[in-house]
Amino acid sequence: MMLSGRREHGIFYIPGFMGDMTDKKPEFLNKFCKEHDFSFLRYDPTYVAKSAGSDPIEYKLIISTWIDDALEMFNLTRGSQIIVSHSLGGLIALHLALKHPERVTALMLLGPVYNLHEAVTTTPTDSKLMEGASQHIGYFNILKLLRDAKQHNIQLGSSLININCRVTIIHGEKDEIPYEFSEKLFKALASTEKTLTLIESGSHFLEDDYCLEAIKVALLDLAQIHGKSS
């Protein structure tokens, strides 16, 4: 779904695992973009909501498919973009920024999951996130998904990740994925213009009023629009 705007930068949203266009964050972003005259693109990934179709879900290729979806949707945009992503969408956002550095002017990573294997192993198996994923797709499909994710996971090593645009990471301290996960990513990014915000009351979904206000303020800063946060 595309919204037109006259700002220099557009905003492009990548949802988290099984997230869709009608979730609270993309609806909030759509309203924000209308108010501040940004173009905005959000979409339903393959197998989700309006893109669900009738074919069975190919979990063994699902991460690859969702990366391809994002690239295809990103190619519909024009000019420089601020990419906003949630959870697993953070992995996809990082791949986009690496592939199109000339068009990605900023990244906002909300509770980013950039390495699915590490996220799974650092999250308690009895957590709501893990229980929800198991109930939603089943344990054996999680294993298939993990095998596909292996080739796309962002590995943190001795070399910095070659992303030099402005970056904002927001992580809730009540997230069942530890905030140290985001701290490690923050330190690994080459960008010299980056911020990490920890929200004490924030869950993994970062969609209560306080979190949404923090997202709005951070977006205005990324877009370098000051004095207009109301």
Side-chain angles (χ1 to χ4, degrees):
M1 185 179 294
M2 180 84 78
L3 175 71
S4 60
R6 293 180 293 179
R7 291 280 184 189
E8 178 185 1
H9 311 303
I11 294 178
F12 181 80
Y13 181 71
I14 304 175
F17 178 71
M18 303 305 284
D20 67 57
M21 292 190 294
T22 64
D23 289 339
K24 194 168 184 179
K25 283 185 294 297
E27 289 285 3
F28 170 81
L29 290 170
N30 191 64
K31 181 181 178 182
F32 170 89
C33 289
K34 284 183 178 179
E35 291 176 352
H36 296 280
D37 207 13
F38 287 98
S39 64
F40 179 52
L41 192 148
R42 52 180 166 156
Y43 64 96
D44 290 336
T46 301
Y47 306 125
V48 177
K50 291 184 178 179
S51 298
S54 57
D55 294 332
I57 297 176
E58 289 281 354
Y59 287 104
K60 63 182 181 181
L61 296 172
I62 198 167
I63 305 299
S64 299
T65 299
W66 285 346
I67 291 175
D68 288 344
D69 287 344
L71 287 168
E72 182 180 350
M73 292 296 104
F74 191 74
N75 287 335
L76 298 178
T77 67
R78 296 291 179 267
S80 60
Q81 299 291 313
I82 297 171
I83 297 180
V84 181
S85 65
H86 172 243
S87 189
L88 186 58
L91 169 66
I92 300 171
L94 291 167
H95 278 286
L96 270 182
L98 289 166
K99 188 175 181 65
H100 292 292
E102 76 288 351
R103 292 198 53 217
V104 177
T105 192
L107 289 175
M108 175 175 281
L109 307 172
L110 306 174
V113 174
Y114 53 89
N115 185 310
L116 198 56
H117 288 76
E118 189 175 344
V120 167
T121 56
T122 56
T123 303
T125 55
D126 61 349
S127 70
K128 291 181 180 178
L129 284 178
M130 292 301 294
E131 287 181 354
S134 294
Q135 291 172 6
H136 192 77
I137 69 171
Y139 175 75
F140 290 106
N141 286 326
I142 289 178
L143 294 180
K144 292 178 184 178
L145 183 151
L146 286 171
R147 281 195 289 270
D148 185 38
K150 190 173 183 179
Q151 64 182 310
H152 302 296
N153 285 331
I154 301 293
Q155 304 292 341
L156 306 186
S158 57
S159 300
L160 293 176
I161 301 170
N162 190 28
I163 290 177
N164 295 286
C165 63
R166 302 182 79 198
V167 181
T168 288
I169 301 174
I170 299 177
H171 200 113
E173 292 189 33
K174 294 187 183 300
D175 192 336
E176 292 170 310
I177 298 174
Y179 65 82
E180 289 86 357
F181 198 63
S182 282
E183 286 184 332
K184 289 194 291 185
L185 175 63
F186 176 78
K187 292 175 183 177
L189 294 168
S191 174
T192 58
E193 295 184 86
K194 55 187 178 181
T195 61
L196 170 62
T197 299
L198 302 179
I199 298 181
E200 185 177 1
S201 63
S203 71
H204 181 65
F205 297 98
L206 295 167
E207 58 186 16
D208 62 35
D209 290 344
Y210 185 88
C211 292
L212 293 177
E213 178 66 20
I215 290 170
K216 178 174 75 171
V217 171
L219 260 179
L220 289 170
D221 183 64
L222 280 177
Q224 298 183 318
I225 300 172
H226 303 291
K228 298 182 181 181
S229 61
S230 61

